[in-house]
Amino acid sequence: DVKVTQSSRYLVKRTGEKVFLECVQDMDHENMFWYRQDPGLGLRLIYFSYDVKMKEKGDIPEGYSVSREKKERFSLILESASTNQTSMYLCASSLGFGDTDTQYFGPGTRLTVL
Amino acid sequence: GENVEQHPSTLSVQEGDSAVIKCTYSDSASNYFPWYKQELGKGPQLIIDIRSNVGEKKDQRIAVTLNKTAKHFSLHITETQPEDSAVYFCAASKGSGNTPLVFGKGTRLSVIA
């Protein structure tokens, strides 16, 4: 069965802290994605990766960075967390693009920055 | 780039009635259109998809229609049940290059028993 796991369901951090959100997929998928979800704004793509060590900016990359050292793991990094980064963060993976672009999502991490 | 508009943002229906959610897209090169359902506390999950060489696809109580000329596609849920209550997202993809899905903003469907 397809599985995407995220390291935490809930996370509370202080302003200025460095925050790591981890995502692991067990499907040998090429692509991995990080989204944030806010009420009324839908799913907004932060970064994606189509290969190990490759990354591409999405629609809202400011304030975030990513790391993909292994195929199955994709990390989202908030270098200095701010209150406007309080949100639900969703990780996804897909086999490829186009016809194979079915994305499989993790359960999400609700991050609160105080 | 691609832009996907989704309407309505919220929808309430009586149990047993039908629900329709509509999306429009801007890029005529898009050729793959999936729909995702997000239940409370979970990540979105694919429920049905359609490719541009097909006008309609059905899976039990859900169906999706695609009008390539008008650049819009719709999700139809018949005989709605309380467990259909969720947020639904449409998406579009060009199917070429390293181009990820573009999602609509979502529709919160409430089925009232």
Side-chain angles (χ1 to χ4, degrees):
Chain A
D1 200 15
V2 158
K3 199 153 188 186
V4 177
T5 56
Q6 295 183 228
S7 50
S8 306
R9 291 302 301 270
Y10 300 93
L11 209 51
V12 179
K13 296 291 181 181
R14 297 275 179 199
T15 303
E17 278 191 84
K18 190 169 186 175
V19 181
F20 293 85
L21 302 182
E22 305 283 340
C23 176
V24 177
Q25 52 98 0
D26 66 359
M27 298 161 282
D28 201 34
H29 281 174
E30 300 296 325
N31 305 329
M32 297 188 74
F33 308 84
W34 275 106
Y35 295 89
R36 66 177 281 177
Q37 183 174 19
D38 301 287
L41 298 179
L43 301 169
R44 292 185 291 169
L45 182 63
I46 304 172
Y47 268 97
F48 69 100
S49 167
Y50 55 87
D51 200 353
V52 176
K53 296 190 188 294
M54 304 301 290
K55 60 185 179 185
E56 292 279 348
K57 291 180 180 179
D59 301 316
I60 51 162
E62 297 79 18
Y64 303 95
S65 62
V66 290
S67 173
R68 194 169 180 201
E69 296 294 321
K70 294 185 177 183
K71 191 176 186 180
E72 67 271 17
R73 189 178 298 269
F74 193 35
S75 301
L76 180 69
I77 304 154
L78 288 66
E79 294 289 342
S80 178
S82 64
T83 55
N84 63 11
Q85 292 178 309
T86 291
S87 187
M88 171 67 83
Y89 290 88
L90 289 161
C91 175
S93 70
S94 71
L95 182 61
F97 292 106
D99 284 357
T100 53
D101 198 9
T102 299
Q103 293 192 16
Y104 296 87
F105 285 83
T109 296
R110 184 164 294 282
L111 172 67
T112 302
V113 182
L114 301 175
Chain B
E2 177 65 277
N3 182 48
V4 177
E5 300 280 343
Q6 183 171 348
H7 300 279
S9 56
T10 59
L11 179 60
S12 289
V13 299
Q14 292 289 330
E15 183 178 357
D17 287 351
S18 295
V20 181
I21 302 169
K22 299 182 179 182
C23 289
T24 60
Y25 60 98
S26 61
D27 190 341
S28 56
S30 290
N31 59 8
Y32 173 60
F33 307 94
W35 285 88
Y36 287 78
K37 175 184 181 183
Q38 185 179 25
E39 297 176 341
L40 200 61
K42 297 183 178 180
Q45 186 171 16
L46 178 75
I47 55 171
I48 194 167
D49 57 15
I50 191 167
R51 289 172 171 77
S52 59
N53 58 346
V54 174
E56 183 174 357
K57 185 175 177 181
K58 204 170 179 179
D59 183 3
Q60 298 183 4
R61 294 187 299 107
I62 61 172
V64 58
T65 59
L66 171 65
N67 183 326
K68 283 166 44 182
T69 305
K71 287 190 280 188
H72 69 69
F73 56 112
S74 300
L75 178 71
H76 304 253
I77 306 173
T78 58
E79 300 172 20
T80 53
Q81 300 168 6
E83 53 265 37
D84 294 328
S85 296
V87 178
Y88 291 82
F89 293 97
C90 64
S93 170
K94 259 202 272 200
S96 64
N98 295 335
T99 310
L101 292 174
V102 176
F103 285 88
K105 285 187 165 49
T107 296
R108 181 174 297 279
L109 172 64
S110 299
V111 179
I112 303 160

